[in-house]
Amino acid sequence: MVDRRDTLRLAAAAGLGSAAGLVGPRAASASTDPRHAGVRHADWSALRRALSPGATLYLPGQASYEALAIPFNHRYADVRPAGILLPDTARDVAAAIRWARAHGVPLVPRSSLGHNYAGYSTTSGLLLILSRMRGITPHQASEPGPTERYGPIEVTRNAGLVTVGAGVINADMVPLLADDGILVPGGRCPTVGLAGLVLGGGMGFSDKMFGLTCDNLVSTTVALADGELVTCDERHDADLFWALRGGAGNNFGVNTSFTFRYERLRGQVAFWQFSWSLHSVVPALVALQEVAAAQLANPRFDCRYGLGTDGQTRAQIQSRIRVDALGGFYGSAEELTRIVAPVLDIGTPDERRANRDSIRQVTPSQAAALLAATTPTQQFAEKSAVLTRPLSTAQLQAAVCGLQDWPGSRNPQGAGFALFGEGGLVNQVPPDATAFVHRDGLFIQALETTWADDDPPETGRAGLAWLDGFYDAIFAAGRPRGAYQNFPDPTLVDWRRSYYGDNYRRLVGVKHAYDPTGFFSYPQGIGQRS
């Protein structure tokens, strides 16, 4: 059976068949690394014999290899694995690690489609795609926590535990929410794997109310660099468990399952979605940020604001500059309307009317669908910043001017920035309690440029140069100290402090204890010297 993710891969493979616009650090060659392509047929056969019947190994030239090799960010589609393994069990993962070590082949895990923005879920060695490990097992608590009511929504805290395989994606959790009211704070993109999400922190539209995804992790099983399977939690291998909550993926091992604490929701939440065209973008963003700052400590209000454009001609790019804002609220539509009142009088009469009419009550699963988005797509680059205060009017004006100069592309995702609201329970956790250090943010900002697979290479190069200038113009008075490790930027110089702050030293100690030879390695991996 071909599932939705396989369909996406096959479509991507077809689209890249004649792509002209690959832009990446290794885009000059689309071949596998000859050091790893030289692994003998007998060696691959030995790996197959070590696997369970449900696992499959694909080599170049075999059916499905091409579709599976392509990462979500097609910018890195030129990186070709020597082999692709779809393990079926944790023991398959452990066997693959032992084999890769014995044969000197790098190994990189990918939980789903390979969403890593910097291409770190690609390899010229052995690629592990964990998408078959998709089991979901909930366990209701015998003594759940207190039940709280916020208008039309009822929340039962600590309602139980749910164990998920490493291949589970955000979309896989929606039926639990729709059928049983089970919520684990996840991310916005339906096809993003929970594994990568939680290991780098995990923000979404419920993080202010219930904490980051990593704050709800109770235990996890991980295959270490020697192939040993270890289950860690607060009492067992506690340093490793600390590091796996925000220390990012592919640093300490390959996680094969996760157990999360879940909440149970009954009733309805409030949803809203606003938009403004060019003439109102600055006053709208000023007012939106003021609302978010006023609600920083309120866990029930969460938001995402975006400033962007798209197009290929100068006229298209300038006329399509817009602001989009949306979010959820654990409470009534009437209470939400009072909170966002400062922004409802901004814009044209049609914009004001549409914005006010968008506020409504929906079920939690309906809210999840309304808030979901798969973005960016095709080829893209991203920078991030952890903001502890609103962007100033001057910074917003610089951003608008920068967007007017975007070079354009065929990708309808365009370019711009997004502000993801933080605060609430996220900021109540001490910065050293987990590896995720960013506990004082108002927003996590993502700045991006995109281009299409059929754009010429110079389009991608122009977009990359523009993104550098866009970031520099917004932060001309000084760069933010923090950046989000789940939005990695391969050009970020001081990435150790930006991603991990004062927690980096402890992360290096955990790395040395659990992976002393650096088997799990990538350019911005923990312990990298360069």
Side-chain angles (χ1 to χ4, degrees):
M1 177 181 292
V2 177
D3 71 8
R4 182 163 51 86
R5 280 176 284 180
D6 292 331
T7 302
L8 286 169
R9 292 184 193 280
L10 292 168
L16 283 177
S18 59
L22 293 176
V23 177
R26 290 160 289 192
S29 172
S31 62
T32 55
D33 190 317
R35 294 172 297 173
H36 311 134
V39 175
R40 298 175 304 162
H41 177 76
D43 297 328
W44 292 115
S45 296
L47 174 57
R48 282 195 175 97
R49 289 193 298 272
L51 302 173
S52 72
T56 307
L57 177 65
Y58 298 92
L59 299 179
Q62 294 182 334
S64 299
Y65 171 90
E66 293 297 331
L68 291 168
I70 298 169
F72 188 78
N73 188 348
H74 297 173
R75 179 184 176 192
Y76 300 99
D78 64 295
V79 184
R80 316 294 284 175
I84 302 173
L85 173 61
L86 273 67
D88 190 54
T89 68
R91 291 184 180 275
D92 290 335
V93 174
I97 291 172
R98 289 191 293 268
W99 179 91
R101 284 189 68 100
H103 293 85
V105 175
L107 179 147
V108 168
R110 179 184 294 176
S111 61
S112 176
L113 297 178
H115 282 76
N116 187 283
Y117 288 0
Y120 296 148
S121 57
T122 62
T123 180
S124 59
L126 180 61
L127 177 64
L128 292 189
I129 299 179
L130 306 172
S131 56
R132 291 183 181 173
M133 304 174 70
R134 296 175 67 178
I136 301 176
T137 307
H139 302 279
Q140 184 172 330
S142 58
E143 296 183 7
T147 296
E148 305 162 354
R149 176 166 285 280
Y150 305 98
I153 186 72
E154 184 179 273
V155 178
T156 300
R157 301 277 182 172
N158 301 327
L161 301 176
V162 58
T163 299
V164 305
V168 167
I169 60 176
N170 281 320
D172 293 332
M173 303 298 288
V174 174
L176 290 180
L177 181 61
D179 297 340
D180 301 306
I182 291 175
L183 175 71
V184 174
R188 184 187 190 202
C189 179
T191 58
V192 164
L194 258 66
L197 181 75
V198 63
L199 294 173
M203 65 177 182
F205 284 102
S206 290
D207 57 1
K208 289 182 66 179
M209 185 70 170
F210 304 117
L212 299 168
T213 312
C214 72
D215 296 335
N216 291 271
L217 185 65
V218 174
S219 68
T220 179
T221 297
V222 57
L224 300 177
D226 60 359
E228 180 186 2
L229 288 167
V230 170
T231 298
C232 59
D233 55 28
E234 291 280 12
R235 295 181 300 164
H236 307 93
D237 292 282
D239 278 350
L240 178 61
F241 185 61
W242 174 88
L244 292 170
R245 289 174 291 164
N250 196 28
N251 276 312
F252 308 100
V254 179
N255 296 73
T256 60
S257 68
F258 304 86
T259 297
F260 296 100
R261 177 177 55 252
Y262 71 76
E263 326 294 336
R264 192 180 298 278
L265 308 182
R266 291 184 175 88
Q268 292 185 321
V269 296
F271 166 80
W272 56 280
Q273 185 169 18
F274 303 161
S275 63
W276 293 270
S277 52
L278 175 60
H279 67 283
S280 296
V281 294
V282 172
L285 278 171
V286 168
L288 285 166
Q289 290 184 106
E290 290 174 350
V291 169
Q295 300 299 316
L296 176 65
N298 183 358
R300 296 191 291 142
F301 177 86
D302 217 331
C303 60
R304 183 263 188 201
Y305 308 149
L307 170 68
T309 191
D310 65 278
Q312 299 180 61
T313 68
R314 186 62 42 217
Q316 289 173 340
I317 292 165
Q318 293 181 352
S319 65
R320 294 176 184 175
I321 295 175
R322 62 199 177 274
V323 166
D324 297 296
L326 77 168
F329 179 68
Y330 285 86
S332 69
E334 292 77 14
E335 188 178 359
L336 173 60
T337 300
R338 291 194 293 272
I339 289 173
V340 299
V343 305
L344 292 176
D345 292 329
I346 296 173
T348 67
D350 287 344
E351 289 171 344
R352 295 197 299 268
R353 185 181 310 109
N355 290 344
R356 185 176 293 272
D357 289 346
S358 76
I359 303 172
R360 59 192 186 273
Q361 301 288 158
V362 296
T363 66
S365 60
Q366 288 171 336
L370 290 166
L371 295 167
T374 300
T375 180
T377 58
Q378 298 191 58
Q379 301 187 51
F380 53 90
E382 193 123 357
K383 294 182 179 294
S384 71
V386 178
L387 305 181
T388 57
R389 60 179 182 270
L391 295 170
S392 68
T393 299
Q395 287 177 298
L396 296 174
Q397 290 170 339
V400 172
C401 289
L403 280 179
Q404 292 175 335
D405 292 331
W406 182 57
S409 79
R410 293 188 177 97
N411 192 328
Q413 299 286 334
F417 71 63
L419 299 173
F420 298 91
E422 292 301 302
L425 265 64
V426 175
N427 290 8
Q428 292 182 20
V429 178
D432 60 353
T434 68
F436 189 87
V437 74
H438 311 300
R439 302 292 184 170
D440 60 351
L442 171 62
F443 298 112
I444 289 179
Q445 183 182 26
L447 307 92
E448 69 187 29
T449 186
T450 72
W451 59 101
D453 292 332
D454 59 346
D455 276 323
E458 55 266 27
T459 298
R461 288 192 287 269
L464 293 173
W466 173 87
L467 183 61
D468 288 339
F470 186 58
Y471 180 95
D472 290 343
I474 293 172
F475 298 113
R479 296 191 170 199
R481 287 182 21 177
Y484 184 35
Q485 53 266 44
N486 268 356
F487 294 163
D489 171 12
T491 69
L492 185 60
V493 176
D494 191 16
W495 57 267
R496 297 166 183 83
R497 173 155 290 279
S498 296
Y499 295 154
Y500 306 112
D502 292 338
N503 288 342
Y504 186 73
R505 183 184 297 273
R506 183 177 175 186
L507 283 166
V508 171
V510 177
K511 176 73 169 179
H512 290 164
Y514 286 90
D515 183 16
T517 64
F519 175 72
F520 298 105
S521 176
Y522 59 95
Q524 291 183 342
I526 301 298
Q528 290 293 313
R529 297 184 182 277
S530 59

